[in-house]
Amino acid sequence: MEIPGRYMLTDIIKSKTKDGKPYLRAIMCDRDGNRRNGIMFESNKLDFDPQNGDIVDAVGMIQQFGGQDQLKISTMTVVKDADPSEFLPKRGINSEELIQELELILLEKITDEHLAALVDRFFKDAETLDSFKKMPAAKSVHHAYVGGLLEHTLSIVRLSVLVGDYYKDLVNTQHLIMGALFHDLGKVKEMQAGTGLEYTDSGKLLGHLLLGVEMLNKYVSEIEGFPEDLKYLISHLIVSHHGLLEYGSPKKPKTPEAFILHHLDDMDAKLNTFFSIFERDGVEKGWSGYDRLLERQLFKHS
Amino acid sequence: MEIPGRYMLTDIIKSKTKDGKPYLRAIMCDRDGNRRNGIMFESNKLDFDPQNGDIVDAVGMIQQFGGQDQLKISTMTVVKDADPSEFLPKRGINSEELIQELELILLEKITDEHLAALVDRFFKDAETLDSFKKMPAAKSVHHAYVGGLLEHTLSIVRLSVLVGDYYKDLVNTQHLIMGALFHDLGKVKEMQAGTGLEYTDSGKLLGHLLLGVEMLNKYVSEIEGFPEDLKYLISHLIVSHHGLLEYGSPKKPKTPEAFILHHLDDMDAKLNTFFSIFERDGVEKGWSGYDRLLERQLFKHS
Amino acid sequence: MEIPGRYMLTDIIKSKTKDGKPYLRAIMCDRDGNRRNGIMFESNKLDFDPQNGDIVDAVGMIQQFGGQDQLKISTMTVVKDADPSEFLPKRGINSEELIQELELILLEKITDEHLAALVDRFFKDAETLDSFKKMPAAKSVHHAYVGGLLEHTLSIVRLSVLVGDYYKDLVNTQHLIMGALFHDLGKVKEMQAGTGLEYTDSGKLLGHLLLGVEMLNKYVSEIEGFPEDLKYLISHLIVSHHGLLEYGSPKKPKTPEAFILHHLDDMDAKLNTFFSIFERDGVEKGWSGYDRLLERQLFKHS
Amino acid sequence: MEIPGRYMLTDIIKSKTKDGKPYLRAIMCDRDGNRRNGIMFESNKLDFDPQNGDIVDAVGMIQQFGGQDQLKISTMTVVKDADPSEFLPKRGINSEELIQELELILLEKITDEHLAALVDRFFKDAETLDSFKKMPAAKSVHHAYVGGLLEHTLSIVRLSVLVGDYYKDLVNTQHLIMGALFHDLGKVKEMQAGTGLEYTDSGKLLGHLLLGVEMLNKYVSEIEGFPEDLKYLISHLIVSHHGLLEYGSPKKPKTPEAFILHHLDDMDAKLNTFFSIFERDGVEKGWSGYDRLLERQLFKHS
Amino acid sequence: MEIPGRYMLTDIIKSKTKDGKPYLRAIMCDRDGNRRNGIMFESNKLDFDPQNGDIVDAVGMIQQFGGQDQLKISTMTVVKDADPSEFLPKRGINSEELIQELELILLEKITDEHLAALVDRFFKDAETLDSFKKMPAAKSVHHAYVGGLLEHTLSIVRLSVLVGDYYKDLVNTQHLIMGALFHDLGKVKEMQAGTGLEYTDSGKLLGHLLLGVEMLNKYVSEIEGFPEDLKYLISHLIVSHHGLLEYGSPKKPKTPEAFILHHLDDMDAKLNTFFSIFERDGVEKGWSGYDRLLERQLFKHS
Amino acid sequence: MEIPGRYMLTDIIKSKTKDGKPYLRAIMCDRDGNRRNGIMFESNKLDFDPQNGDIVDAVGMIQQFGGQDQLKISTMTVVKDADPSEFLPKRGINSEELIQELELILLEKITDEHLAALVDRFFKDAETLDSFKKMPAAKSVHHAYVGGLLEHTLSIVRLSVLVGDYYKDLVNTQHLIMGALFHDLGKVKEMQAGTGLEYTDSGKLLGHLLLGVEMLNKYVSEIEGFPEDLKYLISHLIVSHHGLLEYGSPKKPKTPEAFILHHLDDMDAKLNTFFSIFERDGVEKGWSGYDRLLERQLFKHS
């Protein structure tokens, strides 16, 4: 039975059948954030050239393929002026409130002249800020919903204030907070602006750590007299925050702030993952199903 | 030139030379916490049988052996009634103040009837408490000085209050605090009571995670009606706090509190290690020497 | 087509559909030891609250889901007084004969007063003994059938006698045998008593190594004058028998008996796995299919 | 016996003795490229503030410390206008000839308009070019002598021409050559300009892969219309050339040129290391000593 | 619907159903190189005993099993005198041309008397040569088509000439070329002669590195006065060419030629894999699908 | 003070000083099995060309170098007709008795015609047998004394009889015994015949697993009708006995006998290592020193 629906297309692959006819595969996301494999044969008959992030009205039939449901599309038309963010998983994040809270904390805590100029630059970069407010923190795993990147960043900033103050004799809380602010900022360029469900070319080739450093370098180049050693210290916080080379950090943490940032980031991401797994498995308490990424079952006792 | 000195003996090895004469090797700690290899030939002429933890007055000569200084002992007598804790590295920890702060936090935060009974049992176990107040948190690496175990434990308890409250909708702060309190308690039995500079047999055979669970089980067995599932949840916090099997945890963290405890413990230990390395290297700021354990140089920017 | 059948339920997960209606998933084991995914919608209409280990009469339809067969249940009633062990895979183990042989070996070989008392305690712990006789050694992989734990334990005890006697100048055969007896005993508590097909909470949180030490500690606490160092030596055999930290042993083997026990256990388990794989693959000789756990194909030449 | 000598100072550590007197440790390199530990007590009496890279005339005595020779310095004066490159290990590299050969190859092979502009920018960056000509490729291990970085880079460029032409239907030889040119360029900033024997702060905090990308980004920002995707492709060649995350590449090779560049770089470095080990060990043919970095002995059969 | 077809059988497993009736599973390859699971019940009714490599005419029905298509065979007859190589994947390799080019290079480059005798022996071993010309280099992954082994070997020989000449002062090009010639020769015995789609028993038990050494030893035993040290040097090139123990080389590379051979082999195989993945995924440019073996997506920019 | 002594030379390295004068380094073993670094300058004045395994009378002085004792040799003459085995560590192994026991076991247990012929070939290979009787099982670590290889091999053969009989329904005991006999035989060629203290070129290039297979192949080639599949099964036992690729086995164990052989070999070697460590450390009971190879301290309780 054919069913109509509205979807966002991502992960498009255009290919040819053995007898040379063009066809198209794509991930189709509906407005509930569900993702489904789609396939359309004779895609040369379409009256538009499908691009990642396009919103379409499609009619198709569900069939089994390789043990998974697949939507075999018969007709598909593009929808202009649709809002892509409607098609991302959502959790009711109020981005405006969060961004205001973030700005307030930074205004209060960042008193160093150059770092304050850096914060200022960031909040004046409207394009980046706009993506930053909508972006998930990841395609899956943790904070994978509209506003997740902002929510996670704000959480690390808050924790940095708490823990930086706790260790105030030992660490530079302002550095720590700046590391928290920028640690995942490169995700704004690593994932498709506006969709957040697909990695960009530069994201796959360099990754968000290096893209974040590139963004930082750009801001710094616009601030007169920004000390070079300060630039490298903040950059180090960004690139070392995965903690180990095998997790993609080209350098291990070497400063007290880098150690702390790594732990806070991993802790916050793991906790969010924890509750996402229970939600995904539809389990309220007790044991989750086996999670292949964490390689364990999880236990929620209340 | 022979020099006299007072030392605590640890790591004693009694052996024989090729021609069958008994001799003795030991680590000799002086009152500044320095440790030096010692050797005494014809140890059968001693008028006492040296044991780990003995305090002695020894006369000997410094000589080079295998590229290291060695104290070649000519005479040695045991000193009765000496205080072993004098011979441990110290950093001016006021154990009494810390233990009071710990007790106050627990009294305020632990309201669950069974957990409060557990806290009560712990504070009434005078022998354990006495060791707990003096013990270093490790023979080397982090918090390796009199009172270091207490200082580190209190720090994790405080951080647990901060972070548990931050995530109060997601985690059970009381469980987290109990895990913080007991996570390293087994070190009281893993290291020699009174000396703290040598591992015990049970410490080497089982380790402080399992010895901690054994102590918890003993307290629980004295509390009527203590729920078995609660016992296992707290035990899980103890045994999983190293985070990974290869770091000696027989189970990976599976509860939200276990994830947090692992991160707080590692973060606090790493920070203490960080500053210990700079102290050891006699460096005030800039780069430390290469640290073989962390496999990197560290940077202290202020 | 709907078919009726009798099953044991395990791995129950109770959840809700998107429109908020309760449903239930479970593994359904029939009397041939086959396991199948089951799902029942509108599970609120059941007249009992399904628990792991329940025996049920269910009527349902086989359907494909995610590339696997699934039993979609329409009606289900609980069967009282059914024997759960009927629903476990079986291989004709005569538990009574095996337990007698085990007891005979222990009576003959264990002459040390305290260890003999420990053996005595074990054989008088009727509840444990009862589970021990029925339990598989694992949910899958090796000795995964009724009586498998007993069969595997007896095999390690026998091999310990052989190898302990072979190295009799070097090792303490009685210690080795005690380690063999208790090495997997914690599985009695790690897996569901009576079913053996599901891990318990304490099993997942602590694992059978630590649960085994807890059982040993309980026996020892009932034996007057049991030497503490002996307790720790036997405990070490239990906790180190996986051989490496990454396999879940919190300590590596440190005594001759611990090295031997690790090798005998792994050898016996691997051999049993070897023949189970050929049975699973329905292959009599030649090459098995690729086994994902062992990461290889296996060859049986006769 | 006190002996006078001229040295370059590196790895300076300024510290204090227990009684609070300043002293200084440093590596002292003589003009044969030998490196020796130096120590000077009462360093406050010096009439200059020693910096890494300073050339000094020092008088001192050789003594054993920790199994190694150490130069105990009694007096030390700084030498102005001395040439630091005299104090680096040398192998008779003619940098001017090599740089000309490099330029000729690039002029001939790089025909793409934007890449040619990039080459042009590089050859006009006099300061970088000057360092590039003198720098070793590493502090030790491979090409560790004046001009080593240039020699190694030229070798990879030549091999890229050979192998790129061999696979000309499959790979973009111009991209490959640009990757070869820039792959280690960040070492110019990772190591001390003028000395090349010490890592810089930014070198330790970010490493030469990221510093190379930063330099590339600066050149690109000065070229109008340089395509962004081309910038990221060349950046990917730089950051992935270590081949694996655990070797410090934040991304694994993902393009054909990246695979080839990784192999050519590792092959050329390993061959240079091979012959350096035989030179270091003073062995002409047969087996080298055991090399701890490569974890093997090496065999040179002719 | 039943469909007839001609197939080559491989990976045959003969087994019995629960009620004791013989059945047969096999991989069925058609002439387009497609591979499909086949199953035939009541295989005792066949009038021949199916062997790996048999060509058959079979009639059967496609059905879903475990999420994959499966051919359920109703009748099957063996086809005598069919050519198995028709059933392998092909890419239009002209084996005769390639073997002539290989021979020409070897005649020109190998001037050492004993090595030339070795080349001569190889080209006179008609049976081996015949397999060598047809064999794929692997069942899948790289050069997995008729003539792939020859194509890959010739490529490594060519690259050895290029790179050996480039480093001519450092390496023995003749040794390197001999290593290139023999490095994968054992695959002729590791995979089924004539089919190339199935590993032999000796292939699974020893692997192509050791089988290659066995073949080399046989040739050498027929050449009078072949120096033993030369035999071991060439053998070392064969056994070390996977580069690391964990990739199946029992020794790591220890000679300059061994380092180079490892890199050239891996580089050539990876490039071939690269383009095979894009072909498999039906992608012309841009990103491939995620490849589980390489654990990444790949990017082809033109 | 100069002292005279008789030594065996091994690990000779001939080199030149910076001013071009030849000198010589070697390991000097005395008749107690002690090994010491030796160095002789102006080695061109010697009236013989020193080779590994030479016995010499040398006069020299002990000096410290790099934190270790070193014998600086002033004069050295070669001793003809000396027995090198005098200079190996010894433990009173009666090789003749052990070889007789080995032969008796094999005669009794190996009844298969072809395997018996193989045993016969082995015992008739006088040269190999002679080395086999004297060789240590390793340069250090386990069974590192004259006759150690024989002692270890016999032990594995005995254990194979015990364990093969225990599992007699599951494994082929004759295969297992043959694997035990040949598993380390390649060490006869891996280490210097007559000295056993130095690896041979072929030993370093191929290792004892492959050299053992080469020896087996030679024996088999002399036995008419020896089944090829049997040859590969025994070869598999040899090459897989290290258990994992990263331990140098090019294939993992795939037959029941291969699993058992791996475990028996590792168990016997580890036990021998265990007691060697206590002997080396001069400890009778309690804890050994930290062993860097096993990465732990060991405990001997009686």
Side-chain angles (χ1 to χ4, degrees), chain F residues 144-248:
Chain F
Y145 39 81
V146 170
L149 177 60
L150 171 54
E151 187 191 38
H152 172 61
T153 300
L154 177 56
S155 188
I156 303 306
V157 167
R158 279 177 187 147
L159 286 164
S160 292
V161 171
L162 279 179
V163 172
D165 285 352
Y166 177 76
Y167 288 121
K168 66 177 173 295
D169 298 339
L170 303 178
V171 310
N172 186 317
T173 302
Q174 295 195 39
H175 290 190
L176 179 57
I177 292 171
M178 293 307 292
L181 177 63
F182 286 124
H183 84 289
D184 270 353
L185 184 60
K187 288 188 174 178
V188 161
K189 292 199 188 304
E190 191 187 34
M191 291 185 286
Q192 210 58 261
T195 72
L197 283 171
E198 189 157 4
Y199 289 106
T200 58
D201 287 359
S202 61
K204 290 173 181 168
L205 291 170
L206 297 188
H208 66 277
L209 302 191
L210 275 69
L211 292 171
V213 169
E214 190 176 325
M215 293 169 82
L216 174 69
N217 283 349
K218 196 167 144 290
Y219 294 146
V220 162
S221 74
E222 297 163 4
I223 300 170
E224 206 166 339
F226 197 99
E228 191 161 65
D229 59 349
L230 187 56
K231 181 182 81 171
Y232 287 125
L233 280 171
I234 307 299
S235 298
H236 176 70
L237 290 171
I238 298 174
V239 305
S240 70
H241 87 264
H242 287 178
L244 290 174
L245 271 57
E246 42 273 56
Y247 298 156

Side-chain angles (χ1 to χ4, degrees), chain B residues 29-281:
Chain B
C29 315
D30 68 20
R31 266 168 293 196
D32 293 330
N34 298 317
R35 313 182 75 197
R36 179 171 290 166
N37 293 316
I39 189 161
M40 181 177 197
F41 292 100
E42 305 194 45
S43 54
N44 50 332
K45 299 195 176 157
L46 286 170
D47 60 0
F48 70 107
D49 182 25
Q51 301 300 325
N52 287 320
D54 277 356
I55 313 297
V56 297
D57 283 327
V59 177
M61 205 165 86
I62 302 293
Q63 52 180 214
Q64 283 263 321
F65 183 77
Q68 289 192 296
D69 282 358
Q70 188 184 57
L71 185 70
K72 190 181 164 191
I73 302 162
S74 53
T75 66
M76 185 161 72
T77 54
V78 72
V79 182
K80 302 285 180 197
D81 308 321
D83 179 0
S85 68
E86 273 185 38
F87 293 81
L88 294 170
K90 277 169 284 290
R91 285 215 196 151
I93 305 280
N94 185 329
S95 292
E96 292 310 326
E97 276 182 19
L98 298 192
I99 204 88
Q100 279 176 30
E101 181 179 349
L102 180 63
E103 197 166 6
L104 278 177
I105 295 175
L106 293 166
L107 284 177
E108 181 194 335
K109 288 286 178 181
I110 303 302
T111 58
D112 174 272
E113 164 195 7
H114 298 106
L115 296 178
L118 195 52
V119 168
D120 186 60
R121 282 295 313 141
F122 169 67
F123 277 97
K124 286 189 175 138
D125 178 355
E127 188 187 358
T128 293
L129 207 64
D130 191 56
S131 291
F132 183 66
K133 282 192 274 192
K134 290 180 187 160
M135 198 64 77
K139 279 181 67 169
S140 57
V141 184
H142 81 94
H143 299 88
Y145 40 81
V146 170
L149 176 60
L150 170 54
E151 186 191 38
H152 171 61
T153 300
L154 176 57
S155 188
I156 304 306
V157 167
R158 279 178 187 146
L159 286 163
S160 292
V161 172
L162 279 179
V163 172
D165 285 351
Y166 177 75
Y167 288 121
K168 65 177 172 297
D169 298 340
L170 303 178
V171 310
N172 186 317
T173 302
Q174 295 194 40
H175 290 192
L176 179 58
I177 291 170
M178 293 308 291
L181 176 63
F182 286 124
H183 83 290
D184 270 353
L185 184 60
K187 288 189 172 177
V188 162
K189 292 200 187 302
E190 190 187 34
M191 290 185 289
Q192 210 56 262
T195 74
L197 282 172
E198 189 156 3
Y199 289 106
T200 59
D201 287 358
S202 62
K204 289 173 183 169
L205 291 170
L206 296 189
H208 65 277
L209 303 191
L210 275 68
L211 292 171
V213 170
E214 191 176 324
M215 294 169 81
L216 174 68
N217 284 348
K218 195 167 146 289
Y219 294 145
V220 162
S221 72
E222 299 163 3
I223 301 170
E224 206 166 342
F226 197 99
E228 190 161 64
D229 58 349
L230 187 57
K231 180 182 81 170
Y232 287 125
L233 279 171
I234 307 298
S235 297
H236 176 70
L237 290 171
I238 298 173
V239 304
S240 72
H241 87 265
H242 287 178
L244 290 174
L245 271 57
E246 42 272 57
Y247 298 156
S249 271
K251 289 287 174 189
K252 287 177 280 192
K254 298 184 172 186
T255 66
E257 295 79 16
F259 280 102
I260 295 174
L261 180 59
H262 161 61
H263 278 297
L264 296 183
D265 173 55
D266 196 28
M267 183 174 76
D268 191 68
K270 282 283 197 325
L271 272 189
N272 190 279
T273 303
F274 186 95
F275 293 98
S276 299
I277 287 170
F278 280 87
E279 199 166 298
R280 177 198 70 193
D281 293 353

Side-chain angles (χ1 to χ4, degrees), chain F:
Chain F
M1 198 192 63
E2 299 236 316
I3 48 166
R6 181 164 288 190
Y7 308 94
M8 183 167 61
L9 303 180
T10 67
D11 295 289
I12 295 176
I13 293 177
K14 296 169 184 173
S15 191
K16 288 188 183 173
T17 59
K18 288 196 174 174
D19 51 355
K21 290 186 188 156
Y23 72 97
L24 178 126
R25 282 182 283 148
I27 303 291
M28 329 266 305
C29 316
D30 68 20
R31 268 169 290 194
D32 294 329
N34 298 318
R35 313 181 76 195
R36 179 173 289 165
N37 293 315
I39 189 160
M40 181 178 197
F41 292 101
E42 305 194 45
S43 53
N44 49 332
K45 297 193 177 159
L46 286 170
D47 60 0
F48 71 107
D49 182 25
Q51 301 299 326
N52 287 319
D54 277 356
I55 313 297
V56 297
D57 283 328
V59 177
M61 206 164 86
I62 302 294
Q63 52 181 213
Q64 284 262 323
F65 183 76
Q68 289 193 295
D69 282 358
Q70 188 184 58
L71 183 71
K72 189 181 165 192
I73 302 162
S74 53
T75 67
M76 183 161 71
T77 54
V78 72
V79 182
K80 301 285 180 199
D81 308 320
D83 179 0
S85 67
E86 274 185 37
F87 293 81
L88 295 171
K90 276 170 284 292
R91 284 215 196 151
I93 304 280
N94 185 329
S95 291
E96 292 310 325
E97 274 182 20
L98 297 192
I99 203 91
Q100 278 176 29
E101 181 179 349
L102 180 64
E103 197 166 5
L104 278 176
I105 295 176
L106 293 166
L107 283 177
E108 183 195 333
K109 287 288 180 181
I110 303 302
T111 57
D112 172 272
E113 168 194 7
H114 298 106
L115 295 178
L118 195 52
V119 169
D120 186 62
R121 282 296 314 143
F122 170 66
F123 277 97
K124 287 192 174 135
D125 180 356
E127 189 187 357
T128 293
L129 206 63
D130 192 56
S131 292
F132 183 65
K133 283 191 272 192
K134 292 179 186 161
M135 198 65 77
K139 280 181 69 170
S140 58
V141 182
H142 83 92
H143 298 90
Y145 39 81
V146 170
L149 177 60
L150 171 54
E151 187 191 38
H152 172 61
T153 300
L154 177 56
S155 188
I156 303 306
V157 167
R158 279 177 187 147
L159 286 164
S160 292
V161 171
L162 279 179
V163 172
D165 285 352
Y166 177 76
Y167 288 121
K168 66 177 173 295
D169 298 339
L170 303 178
V171 310
N172 186 317
T173 302
Q174 295 195 39
H175 290 190
L176 179 57
I177 292 171
M178 293 307 292
L181 177 63
F182 286 124
H183 84 289
D184 270 353
L185 184 60
K187 288 188 174 178
V188 161
K189 292 199 188 304
E190 191 187 34
M191 291 185 286
Q192 210 58 261
T195 72
L197 283 171
E198 189 157 4
Y199 289 106
T200 58
D201 287 359
S202 61
K204 290 173 181 168
L205 291 170
L206 297 188
H208 66 277
L209 302 191
L210 275 69
L211 292 171
V213 169
E214 190 176 325
M215 293 169 82
L216 174 69
N217 283 349
K218 196 167 144 290
Y219 294 146
V220 162
S221 74
E222 297 163 4
I223 300 170
E224 206 166 339
F226 197 99
E228 191 161 65
D229 59 349
L230 187 56
K231 181 182 81 171
Y232 287 125
L233 280 171
I234 307 299
S235 298
H236 176 70
L237 290 171
I238 298 174
V239 305
S240 70
H241 87 264
H242 287 178
L244 290 174
L245 271 57
E246 42 273 56
Y247 298 156
S249 271
K251 288 287 173 187
K252 288 178 278 194
K254 298 184 172 186
T255 65
E257 295 79 19
F259 281 103
I260 294 174
L261 180 60
H262 161 61
H263 279 297
L264 297 183
D265 173 55
D266 196 28
M267 181 175 77
D268 191 68
K270 282 285 197 322
L271 272 189
N272 190 279
T273 303
F274 186 95
F275 293 98
S276 300
I277 287 170
F278 281 86
E279 199 166 297
R280 178 197 70 194
D281 292 353
V283 176
E284 281 194 28
K285 56 179 284 189
W287 292 96
S288 75
Y290 183 82
D291 184 73
R292 276 185 296 180
L293 203 73
L294 295 182
E295 297 182 309
R296 69 196 90 166
Q297 283 185 285
L298 299 167
F299 189 67
K300 204 173 134 191
H301 46 82
S302 56

Side-chain angles (χ1 to χ4, degrees), chain C residues 32 34 64 67-68 281-284 287-289 297 299, chain E residues 13-16 18 23 25 64 66-67 200-201 204-205:
Chain C
D32 294 329
N34 299 315
Q64 284 264 321
Q68 291 192 295
D281 293 353
V283 177
E284 281 195 25
W287 291 95
S288 75
Q297 282 186 285
F299 189 67
Chain E
I13 294 177
K14 295 168 184 174
S15 190
K16 287 190 183 172
K18 288 194 176 177
Y23 72 98
R25 282 182 283 147
Q64 284 261 324
T200 58
D201 288 358
K204 289 173 181 167
L205 291 171

